[in-house]
Amino acid sequence: MKQLPSTQRSLPIALIRARENVMTPIRQMLSESGLTEQQWRVLRILDEHGALEPSQLAKHAALLLPSQTRIVQSMAQKGLVERREHRNDRRRTVIEITDVGQAIINDNAAKAAEIAAQIRDKLGPRRFETLLDILDDLRDLE
Amino acid sequence: MKQLPSTQRSLPIALIRARENVMTPIRQMLSESGLTEQQWRVLRILDEHGALEPSQLAKHAALLLPSQTRIVQSMAQKGLVERREHRNDRRRTVIEITDVGQAIINDNAAKAAEIAAQIRDKLGPRRFETLLDILDDLRDLE
DNA sequence: GCAATATATTTAACATGTTAATGATTGCGA
DNA sequence: TCGCAATCATTAACATGTTAAATATATTGC
């Protein structure tokens, strides 16, 4: 019978720790703008892809729809994003970034790029790419 | 000036997705016992290390103390863990697993080991170890 | 031995994660 | 065209994540 792996080498715990480590400097940056990491992700995705339907946004941002609904609502309140309805098909609401949201992206882009580069340098470009590739291979576990 | 990386190759998002993928089968297993993944982590750590002080438990389980306080309280209600106070130093409360908690570990150990093996096989042992090593290198970002 | 300090834990408050239930809208078939 | 199914989104309810404030206990300095 297979043995339970030691929690010291547990992949779930390692993934949690890694995320915590990676996000710490990003959170520090975002706290000055009063943004959460999830709100930042929404802005980044909308900046990159333009207006998106909720389900598409959720896929790109790795958010569950119920969470995203709340997040987008609060971001709309703050004027960071806007909802727009399709003329004929009312199901197809799209969410888009506002000028205010865009300004936040612009203000933080340099610092965010610096943090990303720092992580990449810490691992080395080769190991960094390897990491992304292996993480990607964890899709479709049965 | 450095460029923001595409969100498609963003490490934070990749880590979130990976965790989601890895936890899905584990959550399915735990739902039958009515446990959350965090409660399972607490049991696993206490099984492996014996009674621990809150801060030690939190480090091993990758939980923040405020979350852990609530989790342990609800687990104590259900009889899965117990708190015991140190004789002389009342700060040093320790948390330990109960027989009921131990039984849940035993009931799920085989299935959990199977899931872990499946993930390892999906990547291959070599890449699996590489993944853990690289994730570990993300400690101490500045 | 007492006040001040240091450390560890818990509470509080709000945001997000997660699953299940509800609601809204379109398209299809009788 | 009416109702029914399918799909997508939101709401609801509870658990956890996160930061800051409050609490508790022991230790230190005097």
Side-chain angles (χ1 to χ4, degrees):
Chain A
M1 181 162 97
K2 287 156 195 139
Q3 286 241 331
L4 266 178
S6 158
T7 55
Q8 313 280 348
R9 293 292 274 181
S10 153
L11 181 55
I13 293 180
L15 289 171
I16 293 167
R17 288 220 173 85
R19 180 161 118 79
E20 186 182 316
N21 290 330
V22 166
M23 289 313 299
T24 296
I26 299 178
R27 281 215 200 90
Q28 286 179 352
M29 171 188 81
L30 294 177
S31 68
E32 297 174 16
S33 307
L35 288 189
T36 65
E37 56 171 283
Q38 292 83 354
Q39 293 168 351
W40 172 249
R41 282 214 301 281
V42 167
L43 291 182
R44 288 268 282 121
I45 300 294
L46 294 179
D47 173 44
E48 189 169 304
H49 292 86
L52 287 175
E53 296 178 21
S55 58
Q56 294 307 309
L57 175 57
K59 275 177 196 159
H60 285 299
L63 291 170
L64 294 179
L65 273 172
S67 288
Q68 182 183 280
T69 296
R70 287 177 310 214
I71 292 165
V72 166
Q73 283 170 347
S74 90
M75 290 177 77
Q77 291 263 330
K78 296 184 203 168
L80 305 180
V81 300
E82 266 178 6
R83 312 190 46 146
R84 227 179 28 200
E85 299 207 343
H86 196 276
R87 298 153 192 271
N88 304 332
D89 190 340
R90 244 185 250 174
R91 284 178 309 187
R92 290 192 190 158
T93 306
V94 293
I95 302 160
E96 59 181 358
I97 193 169
T98 64
D99 290 346
V100 176
Q102 190 63 57
I104 292 181
I105 289 281
N106 297 341
D107 288 348
N108 289 281
K111 179 68 177 169
E114 185 189 333
I115 293 171
Q118 199 165 357
I119 293 171
R120 192 188 180 85
D121 289 348
K122 165 117 178 151
L123 295 182
R126 177 94 173 267
R127 281 164 73 80
F128 184 83
E129 295 299 325
T130 299
L131 174 55
L132 287 177
D133 290 340
I134 300 180
L135 290 176
D136 199 53
D137 287 344
L138 288 171
R139 281 176 311 175
D140 311 320
L141 285 172
E142 86 226 68
Chain B
M1 182 162 95
K2 287 154 195 140
Q3 284 239 333
L4 266 179
S6 158
T7 56
Q8 313 280 348
R9 293 293 275 180
S10 153
L11 182 55
I13 293 180
L15 289 171
I16 294 168
R17 290 220 173 85
R19 179 160 122 76
E20 185 182 317
N21 290 330
V22 166
M23 289 314 299
T24 296
I26 299 178
R27 282 215 200 91
Q28 286 179 353
M29 171 189 80
L30 294 178
S31 68
E32 297 175 15
S33 306
L35 288 190
T36 64
E37 56 171 283
Q38 291 84 353
Q39 294 168 349
W40 173 248
R41 283 215 299 282
V42 167
L43 290 181
R44 289 269 282 121
I45 300 293
L46 294 178
D47 174 44
E48 189 169 304
H49 293 85
L52 288 176
E53 298 179 20
S55 58
Q56 294 308 307
L57 175 57
K59 275 177 195 159
H60 286 297
L63 291 170
L64 294 180
L65 274 172
S67 286
Q68 181 181 282
T69 295
R70 287 177 311 212
I71 292 166
V72 166
Q73 284 170 347
S74 90
M75 291 178 78
Q77 292 263 330
K78 295 184 202 167
L80 305 180
V81 300
E82 266 177 6
R83 312 191 46 148
R84 226 177 32 201
E85 298 208 344
H86 196 276
R87 301 153 191 272
N88 304 332
D89 190 340
R90 244 185 252 174
R91 282 179 309 186
R92 291 194 191 159
T93 306
V94 293
I95 302 160
E96 60 180 357
I97 193 168
T98 64
D99 291 346
V100 177
Q102 190 63 55
I104 291 181
I105 289 281
N106 297 340
D107 289 347
N108 290 280
K111 178 68 176 169
E114 185 190 329
I115 293 171
Q118 201 165 356
I119 293 171
R120 192 188 181 83
D121 290 348
K122 165 115 179 152
L123 295 182
R126 178 92 175 268
R127 281 163 75 78
F128 185 82
E129 295 300 325
T130 300
L131 174 55
L132 287 177
D133 290 340
I134 300 180
L135 289 176
D136 200 52
D137 286 344
L138 288 170
R139 281 177 312 177
D140 311 319
L141 285 171
E142 86 224 69

